[in-house]
Amino acid sequence: KSGAADLGGFPHFMLKEIFEQPQALRDTMRGRLVLDEGTVRFGGLKSFEERLRSLDAVTLVGMGTAGFTWLAGEYAIEELAGIPTKREVASEFAFRRSAQSKQGCLIAVSQSGETADTLNAIREAKRRGMLTLGIVNVTGSSIAREVDAGIYNHVGPETAVASTKASVSQVLLQMMFALYLARMRGLSKSEGQTLIKEMQKLPTYAEKILASAGDIKRLAKKYKKTENFFCLGRKYNVSSALEGALKLKECSYIHVEGGNIAELKHGPISLIDKNFPSIVIAPKDSMYEKNKSSIQEIKARKGLVIAITTEGNKELAKIADTVLYIPKTLEMLTPILAFIPMQLFAYYLAVERGNDVDKPRNLAKSVTVE
Ligand code: M6R
């Protein structure tokens, strides 16, 4: 049983694990980034290198948070390596007659390595003759043993039911895997080096965001009675939007709809009024102008907006009600940083509302039934 000593001075495991993220990111990268060659090395994949070189399709599966991280992975593998990639909720994989390539692989993402739906997808993929890979945190877990080869997160035990440090590591590993595949397929060394140099800065960037936890705590006090939120983004940050919505739901018990902000005008915008705030992830990237105009549409309907944008971007402060900042990084790495303020917001809302933060009602750390 865990006690005060394991909490290391933090009031809850969730907060402790949120603050462990700079280290978790370092541990995820340790010994794997090869700056000189602009590539990534994964010990566990070594004997599958030939097969991975001729890979022609990737399917990413997972559930919950692990599942939402593959949204970012899907974009990155296609953008960097040019391999057709699709994501699928793990529970559906075995029950869907999807067209699979024998040269394709299935990558299962799971913190615990015990999620029954994900395990089931791996077994089905094996029946279909696919190569199966895992991105798993718990060594020796069922999924780690079941897959042909795997990549461990190496972020240490995650005790709080709400996943935090494992999730940022899952996104980072998918970006690293995308780079690994891309360098086998013609991405230049210098492009690889640029990406690696940015990855190496992520722990320091995460520290910077954590230093603003006090601001997010105050924000949670302000919004503690809110009963509905939207959590929205585009492209890589649809992943952040869905993950932010899930974190808020499971910890604060507030109803949150997460998704692609472009969908808003096709229906959900009818919900917006002064009591239905939106969190919008809008870094200064290729989707910024589109996100900005969506924020303006929300404001025109009297909706409150909490925007998450890039440091130094003063413009949104004039439009949104509150702005939270993340350091400037490459577009594909932004979810790793954008997850953090939303984890903190979910945590402080849960505390404000008197919830059992580390063990939210009705939830288990690993879901071992289908
Ligand atoms: O252990 P796994 O990563 O396979 O778990 C998958 C989900 O059950 C898990 O991410 C769940 O959504 C968490 N409670 C999210 O915080």
Side-chain angles (χ1 to χ4, degrees), residues 200-223:
Q200 287 171 329
K201 292 180 195 155
L202 290 169
T204 312
Y205 290 163
E207 274 158 10
K208 217 164 167 195
I209 299 170
L210 292 170
S212 67
D215 298 339
I216 299 173
K217 189 175 178 178
R218 279 188 288 282
L219 197 64
K221 278 193 200 300
K222 189 170 154 196
Y223 283 95

Short mmCIF file of all heavy atoms in Angstrom, two decimals, residues 200-223:
data_model
loop_
_atom_site.label_atom_id
_atom_site.label_comp_id
_atom_site.label_asym_id
_atom_site.label_seq_id
_atom_site.Cartn_x
_atom_site.Cartn_y
_atom_site.Cartn_z
N GLN A 200 14.79 17.40 -27.51
CA GLN A 200 15.67 17.52 -26.33
C GLN A 200 15.29 18.72 -25.45
O GLN A 200 15.65 18.75 -24.27
CB GLN A 200 17.13 17.62 -26.78
CG GLN A 200 17.65 16.27 -27.27
CD GLN A 200 19.01 16.36 -27.93
OE1 GLN A 200 19.34 17.37 -28.55
NE2 GLN A 200 19.79 15.29 -27.85
N LYS A 201 14.61 19.69 -26.03
CA LYS A 201 14.23 20.87 -25.23
C LYS A 201 12.92 20.65 -24.46
O LYS A 201 12.55 21.46 -23.61
CB LYS A 201 14.05 22.08 -26.16
CG LYS A 201 15.34 22.56 -26.79
CD LYS A 201 15.04 23.75 -27.69
CE LYS A 201 16.20 24.05 -28.62
NZ LYS A 201 15.77 24.75 -29.84
N LEU A 202 12.19 19.59 -24.81
CA LEU A 202 10.86 19.41 -24.22
C LEU A 202 10.85 19.35 -22.68
O LEU A 202 9.98 19.97 -22.06
CB LEU A 202 10.19 18.15 -24.80
CG LEU A 202 9.76 18.27 -26.27
CD1 LEU A 202 9.36 16.90 -26.82
CD2 LEU A 202 8.61 19.25 -26.44
N PRO A 203 11.80 18.66 -22.03
CA PRO A 203 11.76 18.63 -20.56
C PRO A 203 11.84 20.03 -19.95
O PRO A 203 11.10 20.35 -18.99
CB PRO A 203 12.98 17.79 -20.19
CG PRO A 203 13.22 16.91 -21.39
CD PRO A 203 12.85 17.76 -22.57
N THR A 204 12.69 20.88 -20.49
CA THR A 204 12.81 22.25 -19.97
C THR A 204 11.52 23.03 -20.24
O THR A 204 11.05 23.80 -19.39
CB THR A 204 14.00 22.96 -20.67
OG1 THR A 204 15.10 22.08 -20.62
CG2 THR A 204 14.33 24.27 -20.02
N TYR A 205 10.95 22.82 -21.41
CA TYR A 205 9.67 23.49 -21.72
C TYR A 205 8.57 23.05 -20.75
O TYR A 205 7.76 23.85 -20.28
CB TYR A 205 9.24 23.18 -23.15
CG TYR A 205 10.10 23.81 -24.24
CD1 TYR A 205 10.03 23.33 -25.55
CD2 TYR A 205 10.93 24.88 -23.98
CE1 TYR A 205 10.79 23.90 -26.56
CE2 TYR A 205 11.69 25.46 -24.97
CZ TYR A 205 11.63 24.97 -26.26
OH TYR A 205 12.37 25.53 -27.26
N ALA A 206 8.57 21.73 -20.45
CA ALA A 206 7.56 21.22 -19.52
C ALA A 206 7.74 21.86 -18.14
O ALA A 206 6.76 22.23 -17.48
CB ALA A 206 7.66 19.70 -19.43
N GLU A 207 8.99 22.03 -17.73
CA GLU A 207 9.27 22.67 -16.43
C GLU A 207 8.70 24.09 -16.41
O GLU A 207 8.14 24.54 -15.42
CB GLU A 207 10.79 22.72 -16.18
CG GLU A 207 11.30 21.46 -15.54
CD GLU A 207 12.80 21.24 -15.75
OE1 GLU A 207 13.50 22.16 -16.24
OE2 GLU A 207 13.27 20.11 -15.44
N LYS A 208 8.85 24.77 -17.50
CA LYS A 208 8.36 26.14 -17.61
C LYS A 208 6.84 26.20 -17.45
O LYS A 208 6.30 27.07 -16.77
CB LYS A 208 8.75 26.68 -19.00
CG LYS A 208 9.14 28.10 -18.97
CD LYS A 208 9.85 28.51 -20.22
CE LYS A 208 9.91 30.03 -20.23
NZ LYS A 208 10.26 30.56 -21.51
N ILE A 209 6.15 25.25 -18.06
CA ILE A 209 4.68 25.23 -17.94
C ILE A 209 4.29 24.93 -16.49
O ILE A 209 3.39 25.56 -15.94
CB ILE A 209 4.08 24.17 -18.89
CG1 ILE A 209 4.42 24.50 -20.35
CG2 ILE A 209 2.56 24.09 -18.71
CD1 ILE A 209 4.09 23.41 -21.34
N LEU A 210 5.00 23.99 -15.88
CA LEU A 210 4.68 23.61 -14.50
C LEU A 210 4.88 24.78 -13.54
O LEU A 210 4.19 24.89 -12.52
CB LEU A 210 5.53 22.41 -14.07
CG LEU A 210 5.19 21.10 -14.79
CD1 LEU A 210 6.22 20.03 -14.49
CD2 LEU A 210 3.80 20.61 -14.41
N ALA A 211 5.79 25.66 -13.89
CA ALA A 211 6.03 26.83 -13.03
C ALA A 211 4.81 27.77 -13.00
O ALA A 211 4.69 28.62 -12.13
CB ALA A 211 7.27 27.58 -13.51
N SER A 212 3.90 27.59 -13.95
CA SER A 212 2.71 28.45 -13.97
C SER A 212 1.49 27.75 -13.35
O SER A 212 0.35 28.18 -13.55
CB SER A 212 2.39 28.90 -15.40
OG SER A 212 1.99 27.76 -16.15
N ALA A 213 1.74 26.69 -12.57
CA ALA A 213 0.63 25.93 -11.98
C ALA A 213 -0.27 26.82 -11.12
O ALA A 213 -1.49 26.62 -11.07
CB ALA A 213 1.18 24.77 -11.15
N GLY A 214 0.31 27.81 -10.45
CA GLY A 214 -0.47 28.71 -9.59
C GLY A 214 -1.56 29.43 -10.37
O GLY A 214 -2.69 29.60 -9.88
N ASP A 215 -1.25 29.87 -11.59
CA ASP A 215 -2.25 30.57 -12.42
C ASP A 215 -3.41 29.63 -12.75
O ASP A 215 -4.57 30.03 -12.77
CB ASP A 215 -1.63 31.01 -13.76
CG ASP A 215 -0.49 31.99 -13.56
OD1 ASP A 215 -0.44 32.62 -12.48
OD2 ASP A 215 0.35 32.11 -14.48
N ILE A 216 -3.06 28.38 -13.01
CA ILE A 216 -4.09 27.41 -13.40
C ILE A 216 -4.96 27.04 -12.19
O ILE A 216 -6.16 26.86 -12.30
CB ILE A 216 -3.44 26.18 -14.08
CG1 ILE A 216 -2.70 26.67 -15.34
CG2 ILE A 216 -4.48 25.13 -14.44
CD1 ILE A 216 -1.86 25.64 -16.05
N LYS A 217 -4.33 27.04 -11.02
CA LYS A 217 -5.08 26.79 -9.78
C LYS A 217 -6.13 27.89 -9.58
O LYS A 217 -7.28 27.61 -9.26
CB LYS A 217 -4.08 26.77 -8.61
CG LYS A 217 -4.66 26.32 -7.32
CD LYS A 217 -3.55 26.21 -6.28
CE LYS A 217 -4.12 25.79 -4.95
NZ LYS A 217 -3.07 25.65 -3.95
N ARG A 218 -5.73 29.13 -9.81
CA ARG A 218 -6.68 30.25 -9.68
C ARG A 218 -7.79 30.14 -10.70
O ARG A 218 -8.95 30.44 -10.42
CB ARG A 218 -5.94 31.59 -9.85
CG ARG A 218 -5.24 32.03 -8.56
CD ARG A 218 -4.68 33.44 -8.67
NE ARG A 218 -3.51 33.49 -9.54
CZ ARG A 218 -2.28 33.10 -9.17
NH1 ARG A 218 -2.06 32.65 -7.95
NH2 ARG A 218 -1.26 33.17 -10.02
N LEU A 219 -7.45 29.70 -11.90
CA LEU A 219 -8.45 29.54 -12.95
C LEU A 219 -9.49 28.48 -12.55
O LEU A 219 -10.69 28.64 -12.79
CB LEU A 219 -7.73 29.10 -14.24
CG LEU A 219 -8.48 29.26 -15.54
CD1 LEU A 219 -8.76 30.73 -15.83
CD2 LEU A 219 -7.69 28.65 -16.70
N ALA A 220 -9.00 27.42 -11.92
CA ALA A 220 -9.91 26.35 -11.49
C ALA A 220 -10.89 26.87 -10.43
O ALA A 220 -12.07 26.49 -10.43
CB ALA A 220 -9.10 25.17 -10.94
N LYS A 221 -10.44 27.75 -9.56
CA LYS A 221 -11.34 28.34 -8.56
C LYS A 221 -12.46 29.09 -9.26
O LYS A 221 -13.62 29.03 -8.89
CB LYS A 221 -10.57 29.31 -7.65
CG LYS A 221 -9.83 28.63 -6.53
CD LYS A 221 -9.37 29.66 -5.50
CE LYS A 221 -8.24 29.14 -4.64
NZ LYS A 221 -8.55 27.94 -3.87
N LYS A 222 -12.08 29.81 -10.31
CA LYS A 222 -13.06 30.61 -11.06
C LYS A 222 -14.10 29.74 -11.77
O LYS A 222 -15.27 30.11 -11.86
CB LYS A 222 -12.27 31.46 -12.07
CG LYS A 222 -13.07 32.49 -12.78
CD LYS A 222 -12.16 33.43 -13.57
CE LYS A 222 -12.91 34.03 -14.73
NZ LYS A 222 -12.02 34.62 -15.71
N TYR A 223 -13.68 28.60 -12.25
CA TYR A 223 -14.58 27.77 -13.08
C TYR A 223 -15.16 26.57 -12.32
O TYR A 223 -15.76 25.71 -12.93
CB TYR A 223 -13.84 27.27 -14.32
CG TYR A 223 -13.71 28.34 -15.40
CD1 TYR A 223 -12.57 29.12 -15.50
CD2 TYR A 223 -14.74 28.57 -16.31
CE1 TYR A 223 -12.45 30.11 -16.48
CE2 TYR A 223 -14.63 29.54 -17.30
CZ TYR A 223 -13.48 30.30 -17.37
OH TYR A 223 -13.37 31.26 -18.34
#
